[in-house]
Amino acid sequence: MNYSSKLIEEAVQAFATLPSIGKKTALRLVLHLVKMEPELTERLGEALLNMRKHIQFCQNCHHLSDGPQCQICADPRRDRSLVCVVEGIRDVMAIEETGQYKGLYHVLGGVISPLEGVGPESLQVDSLVNRVDSGEVKELIMAVSPTIEGETTIFYLSKQLSAYPVRISTIARGVSFGGELEYADELTLARSITARIPYKSE
Amino acid sequence: MYLSRLILTHFKNYSSQTVHFSEGVNGIVGPNGMGKTNLLDAVYYLCMSKSRFSVSDRLLIQHEADFFRLEGHFLREGKPEKVVAKVAKGRKKEIERDDAPYERISEHVGRYPVVMIAPDDIQLALEGSEERRRFIDNTLSQIDAQYLTQLIQYNHILRQRNAYLKQVAEWHQSPDESLLTTYDRQLLAPSDFLLEARKSFIARFIPIFQAHYGAISGNQEQVVCHLRSQLLERPLSEWLMDLREKDRLLQRTNAGIHKDDLEFLIDDYPVKQFASQGQLKSFVLAMKLAQYELLQHETGQYPILLLDDLFAKLDRHRVEHLMTWIVERSFGQVLISDTELDRLSAVVRAKTADCRFFEVNKGTISTPNNPITQQPN
Ligand SMILES: Nc1ncnc2c1ncn2[C@@H]1O[C@H](COP(=O)(O)OP(=O)(O)OP(=O)(O)O)[C@@H](O)[C@H]1O
Ligand SMILES: [Mg+2]
Ligand SMILES: [Zn+2]
């Protein structure tokens, strides 16, 4: 498309690099910004820059964090003996949204899937073993998606942790096979964590 | 259950075509390269959600087009059912039944049982074990939805295990033993299920197969068939443990039901090396007829029978046998292709009046100008 303006064209192209934003949507957003007060665009840009510059990953659980420790790990009311193991950041958010869970998290960064080039070494496995090794953790809730790769990951982790007296449980499968945690509705998700079942590896 | 109407759009050499089939025998005639096999494959596709000949869906899209669409109107005990298959470049394929897309396409398999008999069936006897495994898998998937689910799981875990072996080899690492143990353990449940299903399949299959072989060949020789599986000797867990070093070196999994084979013997000698040409033909035809009959018994419906290039590999005697077999059993729907109308129509009309003929000409289908031919309703 001809935008008759290099400035507009560049802004459109920048927006269009984002997921699920095509050229048309990008143009709509840009034209909207042009109509808005300039300060609003400034605030938007600042918020983005600021976020990108300062966001970190929690050293303890690898969730998003404003400092070395995330808000969840730093919260003294949280039950530190209970850790929910999830694939990604969005899973933490989905579970937090239920407001029912009071333990901590551990974000693996995916599930084991050599077909997609993801082996155990590219996930946060060692740091999980270290957390368990420190003695604070009594129970791990494996809340990864109920797929073959999810099962592989749970079984593999349970083998890595077999020397420790930590309890391992999996969330009840209210979530359909192949479905992902973040798409489960809040009620089902909350219930599946409460009704978790002990994991038997043999 | 039968297919009453088929609408093809951009499928192989068909741009846009509607065909009204008869519930009985349908003769598809036309010179070489006109689209007879393509038409049968379209029917096969609607039943199995994949082509009988091509592993890639993209190759089925008409040259210069971006998608193909098949719409089948089936009648099951008088009630209409609509099946639509859509494949577009760069999109996931979609199968719908009565306008509802399947979440998992594998759920479709088995609802419309189908058997295709084609000239390349001879590979069942001559090629490697894969063809014969596919024969078992194809039959059992149509009978038991659980079989297909377990097979998909098994193959998926196996692909992950092999990908891992490849990956560590490429990085010059030694594999993480506990990850391999994880995969080994995951393979056990589907492997047990598939092995048991295959064993029991062979037991049900043999007598039907032997009866057909005897009837077709008219000979006295004994044909038997065994399942050959490493797992009949020792359990999978032991194999996987023992072959770990070999797996690491070859970067793939060297034991499991993915190595199973069917072994056929004629009078104690392997068919592949010792059968005569005629014995081979009888043998392959007997396998397909036994497949049909087993499907019919166990699904409780007549599969759609697709006979491609009837006279290509079968002589008059075997064609005669086949036609008699078809009509003697108050049969289901049959589609037969041949290059010559007169030859085919003579063979079919000698057996049944319940038939309709179609002429295929470069992806266009017409009904021949023949007074006895029924008009499409
Ligand atoms: N993707 C495609 N797009 C267009 N045409 C195709 C495509 N794939 C195959 N064809 C054409 O379809 C024709 C082959 O059709 P088919 O195999 O059905 O012939 P047939 O009638 O069975 O012939 P025969 O009697 O030799 O078996 C060929 O002319 C081929 O070029
Ligand atoms: Mg052909
Ligand atoms: Zn944290």
Side-chain angles (χ1 to χ4, degrees), chain A residues 82 137-141 164-169 196 198-199:
Chain A
L82 187 61
V137 184
K138 299 270 177 298
E139 180 179 354
L140 291 175
I141 305 172
Y164 300 97
V166 64
R167 269 202 313 279
I168 298 180
S169 53
R196 60 187 183 271
Y199 180 68

Side-chain angles (χ1 to χ4, degrees), chain A residues 123-140:
Chain A
L123 302 178
Q124 299 290 353
V125 174
D126 291 346
S127 70
L128 179 64
V129 176
N130 288 340
R131 282 179 81 176
V132 170
D133 187 56
S134 76
E136 205 176 43
V137 184
K138 299 270 177 298
E139 180 179 354
L140 291 175

